């Protein structure tokens, strides 16, 4: 089918009569049931046959071109959509063609991405070029560019390079990753807040679904030791015996509640830090983006940290200890003072850098490995590869920062456990290692890892439904 598309368009030029005939032939091939219309299913199958299928592409094309809202495209709608799409592709092609010679080479791709603040190596730019280069000249002319993107809904440079955008779908309960990027178009049209809302709802459902695993993780972090071994099943049993099945969701309410302020603060702070760190606000280097993301994460954590302390206390509470989150906050304030709401703040802050750094480094390594070995016809890795890379990189980041997370949790809980003796971060870490060995710093990591795959899966499914409901496609 891709060879068919190439044949149909090889002699066509932008917006002329040949294009009209090419569109007619293409339309007839896509219209498999010969009813004079192309619906989403037919277009999806056609895109798959061409090898350029992308999640949600068929639906987006039909939605964009469907003027009479009957859920499919007739020939006039199909032609009008392709003509408008070609114009946008032409403008994008011209913006990439820096020397105006009618062809794009790898250095022009690299330069254009750099202007958007995305640093790619010469090798990666070459791989992107090769995915579009039909005649093997190591350059892409207008016909090759059009053939590659004609039936792809992406039409501007920001959308085209979004193939490898780090997904904001992944919510595994610890929101210390670097925030996602939004294009100027998304910011001006309001698409950014829809994506944030979709991500927040996905995170809320995901956290609720995996709350029992999260509670047993916290339970093991605080109560388990060499002298008091608590297994995964033993932890669940103790919690159910003490408070019933519903007790497995203790602390989930505030864990969900803190998503909205944390996401909003992190996004706004990230934008401000990017402006401060870049010289003119237009271009930002990779290391500046990493620093801006880390600072944004630290800012958000500082603002909502009292909620983190409340979450830990509510998660560990016994039946009848607190009437709710407000009662818990009042009791902590009365007995321990304002300082109690920032216990464990230092290890929490220190955990942001190793998590974010390793998460990004592993993600980039996995991405480049995929490009090197599997990117033959397209630079688009597909949903499963993106989710796989994101899951593995996030897990590696958690593994590196887990000891700090454990120390943070113990410090948050220690006032209720050891009112007379509350050690500092370093002394607590030494105490754990001396008593339980290095593995003592990884208590509760099994349920933590067990919740990653279901959390990511739930997040992705809910996120896709939310995107559809809010009328956005990414």
């Amino acid at each position: 089918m891709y060879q068919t598309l190439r044949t149909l368009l090889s002699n066509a030029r932008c917006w002329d009569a040949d294009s009209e005939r090419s569109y007619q032939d293409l339309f007839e091939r896509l219209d498999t049931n010969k009813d004079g219309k192309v619906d989403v299913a037919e277009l999806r199958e056609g895109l798959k046959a061409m090898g350029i299928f992308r999640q949600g592409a068929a639906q987006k094309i039909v939605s964009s071109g469907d003027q009479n809202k009957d859920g499919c495209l007739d020939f006039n709608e199909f032609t009008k959509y392709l003509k408008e799409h070609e114009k946008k592709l032409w403008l994008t092609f011209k913006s990439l063609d820096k020397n105006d010679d009618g062809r794009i080479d790898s250095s022009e791709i690299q330069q254009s991405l750099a202007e958007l603040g995305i640093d790619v190596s010469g090798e990666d730019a070459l791989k992107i070029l090769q995915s579009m280069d039909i005649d093997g000249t190591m350059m892409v002319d207008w016909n090759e560019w059009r053939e590659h993107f004609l039936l792809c809904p992406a039409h501007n440079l920001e959308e085209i390079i979004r193939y490898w955008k780090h997904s904001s779908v992944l919510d595994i309960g610890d929101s210390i990753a670097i925030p996602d990027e939004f294009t100027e178009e998304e910011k001006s049209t309001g698409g950014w807040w829809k994506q944030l809302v979709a991500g927040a709802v996905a995170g809320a459902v995901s956290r609720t679904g995996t709350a029992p695993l999260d509670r047993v993780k916290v339970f093991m972090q605080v109560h388990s030791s060499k002298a008091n071994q608590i297994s995964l099943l033993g932890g669940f049993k103790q919690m159910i015996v003490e408070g019933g099945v519903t007790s497995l969701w203790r602390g989930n309410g505030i864990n969900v509640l803190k998503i909205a302020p944390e996401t909003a603060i992190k996004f706004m702070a990230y934008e401000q830090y990017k402006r401060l760190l870049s010289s003119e606000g237009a271009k930002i280097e990779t290391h500046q983006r990493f620093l801006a993301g880390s600072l944004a994460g630290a800012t958000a954590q500082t603002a909502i940290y009292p909620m983190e302390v409340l979450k830990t206390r509510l998660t560990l509470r016994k039946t009848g200890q607190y009437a709710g989150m407000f009662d818990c906050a009042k009791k902590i304030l009365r007995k321990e003072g304002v300082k109690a709401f920032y216990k464990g703040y230092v290890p929490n802050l220190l955990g942001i850098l190793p998590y974010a750094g390793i998460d990004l480094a592993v993600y980039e390594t996995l991405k480049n490995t995929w490009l090197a070995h599997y990117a033959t016809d397209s630079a688009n890795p597909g949903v499963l590869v993106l989710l796989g890379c994101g899951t593995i990189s996030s897990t590696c980041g958690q593994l590196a920062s887990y000891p700090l997370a454990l120390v943070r949790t113990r410090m948050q809980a220690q006032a209720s456990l050891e009112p007379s003796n509350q050690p500092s971060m370093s002394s607590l870490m030494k105490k754990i290692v001396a008593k339980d060995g290095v593995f003592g710093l990884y208590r509760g990591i099994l349920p933590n890892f067990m919740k990653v795959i279901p959390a990511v899966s739930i997040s992705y499914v809910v996120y896709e439904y939310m995107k559809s409901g809010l009328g956005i496609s990414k």
Side-chain angles (χ1 to χ4, degrees):
M1 185 76 174
Y2 186 76
Q3 292 295 330
T4 302
L5 178 64
R6 184 184 302 175
T7 303
L8 292 173
L9 297 175
S10 58
N11 297 317
R13 290 295 179 268
C14 201
W15 322 310
D16 61 14
D18 285 337
S19 289
E20 194 83 16
R21 285 192 294 273
S22 298
Y23 296 158
Q24 180 72 52
D25 292 338
L26 184 58
F27 181 83
E28 288 173 1
R29 289 181 181 273
L30 290 170
D31 181 20
T32 52
N33 62 3
K34 306 302 177 187
D35 65 347
K37 294 179 179 181
V38 173
D39 59 24
V40 175
E42 288 174 317
L43 186 54
R44 188 182 292 121
E45 287 305 310
L47 291 174
K48 281 183 180 176
M50 292 175 196
I52 56 174
F53 176 71
R54 185 184 175 198
Q55 183 74 20
Q59 182 64 59
K60 186 171 182 179
I61 290 171
V62 172
S63 299
S64 299
D66 184 17
Q67 293 178 309
N68 59 8
K69 305 302 177 187
D70 62 349
C72 50
L73 301 177
D74 59 28
F75 178 65
N76 287 333
E77 290 172 328
F78 183 74
T79 303
K80 186 174 182 180
Y81 169 80
L82 289 184
K83 283 182 177 179
E84 290 299 315
H85 191 54
E86 266 196 49
K87 289 177 186 177
K88 294 170 183 175
L89 287 176
W90 174 252
L91 294 174
T92 307
F93 179 82
K94 292 298 289 180
S95 72
L96 280 165
D97 184 15
K98 301 296 181 184
N99 59 6
D100 205 27
D101 65 348
R103 295 177 297 179
I104 299 169
D105 59 29
S106 60
S107 65
E108 288 172 321
I109 289 175
Q110 196 173 10
Q111 183 184 344
S112 296
L113 294 181
E115 288 172 1
L116 289 171
I118 298 169
D119 295 318
V120 296
S121 65
E123 186 182 354
D124 282 347
L126 203 58
K127 289 183 188 299
I128 294 170
L129 184 77
Q130 286 172 334
S131 72
M132 298 178 279
D133 182 23
I134 295 169
D135 55 16
T137 59
M138 300 311 294
M139 288 188 174
V140 173
D141 60 21
W142 160 243
N143 283 327
E144 290 172 316
W145 176 265
R146 179 177 57 169
E147 286 173 34
H148 191 79
F149 288 110
L150 186 66
L151 289 178
C152 171
H155 58 258
N156 59 48
L157 194 54
E158 285 89 346
E159 286 187 3
I160 289 165
I161 58 134
R162 204 178 291 165
Y163 282 149
W164 274 110
K165 182 178 173 183
H166 202 321
S167 180
S168 59
V169 174
L170 309 178
D171 186 311
I172 55 175
D174 295 301
S175 300
I176 55 176
I178 285 180
D180 218 343
E181 294 285 339
F182 294 104
T183 64
E184 290 305 318
E185 182 187 1
E186 286 170 333
K187 290 172 191 172
S188 61
T189 59
W192 64 273
W193 72 262
K194 289 182 180 180
Q195 289 192 35
L196 288 180
V197 168
V201 173
V205 176
S206 169
R207 291 184 186 195
T208 302
T210 58
L213 284 167
D214 189 62
R215 191 183 178 217
V216 80
K217 176 197 78 173
V218 175
F219 192 79
M220 291 170 74
Q221 282 179 332
V222 175
H223 296 298
S224 184
S225 65
K226 247 183 187 177
N228 181 34
Q229 294 279 0
I230 300 175
S231 65
L232 183 67
L233 290 175
F236 277 124
K237 188 177 178 181
Q238 284 185 46
M239 290 188 295
I240 291 170
V241 168
E242 193 277 326
V245 176
T246 55
S247 71
L248 297 177
W249 276 267
R250 281 180 185 167
N252 181 60
I254 196 162
N255 195 32
V256 168
L257 200 62
K258 68 187 178 74
I259 292 174
E262 185 175 17
T263 303
I265 293 166
K266 190 189 289 184
F267 171 66
M268 290 186 289
Y270 186 50
E271 292 299 313
Q272 293 302 317
Y273 285 127
K274 279 199 300 181
R275 288 193 190 98
L276 287 171
L277 291 169
S278 57
S279 53
E280 295 177 4
K283 181 182 175 181
I284 181 167
E285 304 293 339
T286 303
H287 70 278
Q288 292 173 321
R289 179 178 287 106
F290 170 72
L291 184 57
S294 299
L295 289 170
T299 303
Q301 283 288 300
T302 302
I304 62 98
Y305 194 76
M307 297 178 82
E308 294 278 2
V309 175
L310 286 173
K311 181 238 175 186
T312 299
R313 297 290 182 91
L314 289 166
T315 300
L316 294 168
R317 79 183 188 270
K318 297 191 186 310
T319 303
Q321 187 176 354
Y322 302 119
M325 67 179 76
F326 292 111
D327 181 53
C328 178
K330 280 194 294 184
K331 285 180 178 176
I332 292 172
L333 188 62
R334 193 183 308 126
K335 290 180 182 177
E336 304 165 48
V338 178
K339 279 186 180 180
F341 289 106
Y342 280 88
K343 286 189 185 295
Y345 174 74
V346 174
N348 183 69
L349 212 57
L350 292 175
I352 292 174
L353 281 175
Y355 178 93
I358 291 170
D359 183 23
L360 279 183
V362 173
Y363 185 83
E364 288 297 311
T365 302
L366 291 171
K367 177 194 79 171
N368 292 332
T369 301
W370 187 91
L371 283 170
H373 293 92
Y374 303 105
T376 52
D377 298 321
S378 173
N380 181 7
V383 171
L384 288 178
V385 176
L386 283 173
L387 283 178
C389 290
T391 303
I392 293 168
S393 64
S394 194
T395 302
C396 290
Q398 276 205 329
L399 187 63
S401 61
Y402 193 83
L404 288 165
L406 182 138
V407 170
R408 174 203 68 194
T409 304
R410 287 217 178 171
M411 290 179 75
Q412 289 172 342
Q414 69 188 194
S416 57
L417 298 173
E418 307 167 29
S420 59
N421 181 26
Q422 296 177 14
S424 64
M425 178 186 77
S426 56
S427 60
L428 182 58
M429 195 171 278
K430 286 175 187 174
K431 183 180 174 183
I432 293 169
V433 173
K435 191 177 177 182
D436 300 327
V438 176
F439 288 110
L441 295 171
Y442 287 89
R443 299 279 180 200
I445 200 165
L446 176 60
N448 193 60
F449 281 165
M450 284 176 67
K451 73 174 184 172
V452 170
I453 292 175
V456 167
S457 304
I458 294 168
S459 287
Y460 178 70
V461 171
V462 176
Y463 187 74
E464 288 300 307
Y465 275 110
M466 285 301 298
K467 282 203 305 178
S468 177
L470 291 169
I472 56 174
S473 182
K474 181 179 171 185

